[in-house]
Amino acid sequence: MGGKDHQPIQAPEEEWIQAVRKKLLDWYDRNQRDLPWRESKDPYRVWVSEIMLQQTRVDTVIPYYERFMSLFPTPGALAAAKEDDVIKAWEGLGYYSRARNLHTAVKEVVETYDGVVPDDPATVSRLKGVGPYTTGAILSIAYNRPIPAVDGNVFRVLSRWFALWDDVTRTSARRKFEELDRLLIPQDRPGDFNQALMELGALICTPVSPACADCPVQEECQAYRDGIQAELPVKTKSKPPVPVRMTFGWIRKGPQVLLQRRPSEGLLGRMWGLPTVETLPEELVPGGTLRDHWAGHGLKLELGPVVGELDHVFSHRRWLITLVQGLCLAEENLPADCAWVEEKELEHYALPNVYRKAVRMALDPPQSSHGFQQGRLF
């Protein structure tokens, strides 16, 4: 395989290009999915949808997109919103840095460009969180600019059409695929063509068992002719997430529960969650590390039993979580990043999925768990 990598680009013949364009666009016109962000070519709506769709399935995104747009229908509305409200609207989608970057970038659009998303590639690509793919998607779909928008679906389709063995995780491969896409994009329908490529990858040219018999460009596909479509694209496998033992605290003071905002940098930055510490290897009593940590911050805790255990996988980390009950016996100065919250008010806080799962477990613990639920001592 390695010898096949870095194949030089050979421009396809014009007749081939014209055939691919016509067949793909005809297929797209007949088969494109009815998606809410396709109801308008407003650049702001396109932008929001593309950010949400990063690393997230279309079916998952639809309800989030519709709710987000009802709350923040214009760049001005999003720019004026508080960050916590934006994150709350994003709650459940994960990868929360996407929401923060979008919020920051939209503020720049409002302040610098009078709320109009720029139509210049260099300007758009400088906006926070907007990479080459999102730049191409916004400009081709909203502004009809013939600019490549190469995502995972497009990588897969082009690698098969041209039988390319380049490792698609490499930057050099992205540049090559963008150049190929640029050769293929028609001047009259660039946005539709880019969306058609993505749609073909999502519905027909799938990662496993592609439906070649239903593909509109089967005759033009080199991988299909060579019988190697199942081997492409070449993609280096990512390393498995590193396991880390963590302790969450369900810490109560009367009817209140302790929440803590995570540090700005790192995993789940600035998100609210339950008090969290990495479990030390020498910990003998479940929650001992948590108790000692908070003793250093002026909170004296009495530990209860373990509520349960959770396993949560991030892209590069795997948290093996022990959820422990705790009762605040004495409090000096509560850190500024903490808040005592009425249990009924928890739903108003934007909690990442891992903490929402922990809260649900604390409120409805496994049968084997005993302790001071709802403020009751064990």
Side-chain angles (χ1 to χ4, degrees), residues 339-356:
W340 288 106
V341 178
E342 297 283 340
E343 185 180 295
K344 63 184 178 181
E345 298 296 321
L346 286 172
E347 63 184 39
H348 300 305
Y349 285 75
L351 300 179
N353 283 333
V354 61
Y355 290 112
R356 288 199 295 165

Side-chain angles (χ1 to χ4, degrees), residues 2 31 59 100 123 181 187 196 226 244 269 291 325 378:
N31 297 281
D59 291 346
R100 289 199 184 87
T123 304
D181 194 8
Q187 295 291 321
D226 296 344
V244 183
R291 178 195 58 207
Q325 297 183 57
F378 42 87

Side-chain angles (χ1 to χ4, degrees), residues 195-206:
Q195 291 184 92
L197 274 176
M198 300 174 210
E199 199 85 331
L200 189 75
L203 302 180
I204 301 294
C205 198
T206 51

Side-chain angles (χ1 to χ4, degrees), residues 180-336:
L180 281 171
D181 194 8
R182 197 182 302 275
L183 291 171
L184 300 178
I185 296 176
Q187 295 291 321
D188 58 337
R189 297 182 65 185
D192 286 344
F193 185 82
N194 279 339
Q195 291 184 92
L197 274 176
M198 300 174 210
E199 199 85 331
L200 189 75
L203 302 180
I204 301 294
C205 198
T206 51
V208 179
S209 302
C212 296
D214 300 323
C215 181
V217 290
Q218 180 198 94
E219 294 179 7
E220 287 72 27
C221 180
Q222 182 66 46
Y224 177 76
R225 288 201 298 270
D226 296 344
I228 56 173
Q229 63 269 35
E231 301 176 53
L232 296 172
V234 174
K235 184 177 182 180
T236 300
K237 291 184 178 180
S238 57
K239 296 179 180 179
V242 177
V244 183
R245 293 178 62 225
M246 308 293 288
T247 301
F248 287 1
W250 181 251
I251 300 172
R252 304 190 65 93
K253 185 177 70 172
Q256 296 178 314
V257 177
L258 185 62
L259 292 185
Q260 183 177 27
R261 194 187 289 273
R262 292 184 56 78
S264 297
E265 303 299 324
L267 197 60
L268 304 177
R270 300 209 302 273
M271 299 291 292
W272 286 101
L274 298 179
T276 302
V277 295
E278 185 171 342
T279 309
L280 296 178
E282 62 270 21
E283 181 174 296
L284 300 177
V285 178
T289 306
L290 183 78
R291 178 195 58 207
D292 296 344
H293 170 83
W294 283 99
H297 288 79
L299 263 68
K300 181 180 179 181
L301 302 181
E302 179 182 359
L303 295 179
V306 171
V307 178
E309 296 181 337
L310 299 167
D311 187 338
H312 191 86
V313 179
F314 300 95
S315 55
H316 298 97
R317 290 286 184 273
R318 179 184 179 187
W319 280 4
L320 307 174
I321 304 156
T322 301
L323 177 60
V324 178
Q325 297 183 57
L327 194 64
C328 180
L329 302 180
E331 175 186 343
E332 293 180 8
N333 295 313
L334 191 68

Side-chain angles (χ1 to χ4, degrees), residues 1-140:
M1 293 287 179
K4 298 177 183 178
D5 204 351
H6 305 300
Q7 298 159 261
I9 291 179
Q10 295 182 350
E13 295 180 358
E14 185 63 23
E15 183 179 354
W16 186 93
I17 293 175
Q18 293 299 330
V20 164
R21 286 175 178 170
K22 181 175 183 352
K23 291 180 179 181
L24 182 62
L25 286 170
D26 286 349
W27 172 84
Y28 179 68
D29 289 340
R30 294 190 307 270
N31 297 281
Q32 63 177 289
R33 288 171 289 182
D34 182 16
L35 302 174
W37 46 86
R38 288 179 177 165
E39 295 172 1
S40 165
K41 292 191 176 181
D42 175 80
Y44 169 66
R45 296 177 67 88
V46 172
W47 183 6
V48 171
S49 70
E50 292 297 343
I51 297 299
M52 285 190 169
L53 287 163
Q54 293 172 9
Q55 299 176 291
T56 310
R57 292 174 58 87
V58 166
D59 291 346
T60 300
V61 166
I62 290 174
Y64 285 96
Y65 173 82
E66 292 177 332
R67 186 177 71 220
F68 195 90
M69 295 310 301
S70 70
L71 294 170
F72 315 114
T74 64
L78 181 57
K82 296 178 181 178
E83 181 180 288
D84 282 350
D85 293 336
V86 175
I87 296 300
K88 180 63 179 176
W90 201 274
E91 185 182 28
L93 266 180
Y95 300 98
Y96 291 92
S97 61
R98 296 180 299 173
R100 289 199 184 87
N101 291 341
L102 175 64
H103 193 205
T104 299
V106 168
K107 286 181 180 179
E108 181 180 345
V109 166
V110 169
E111 294 168 2
T112 307
Y113 307 107
D114 295 324
V116 178
V117 180
D119 63 356
D120 172 62
T123 304
V124 172
S125 63
R126 285 196 296 269
L127 295 171
K128 194 167 182 66
V130 178
Y133 165 76
T134 308
T135 297
I138 294 171
L139 296 182
S140 65

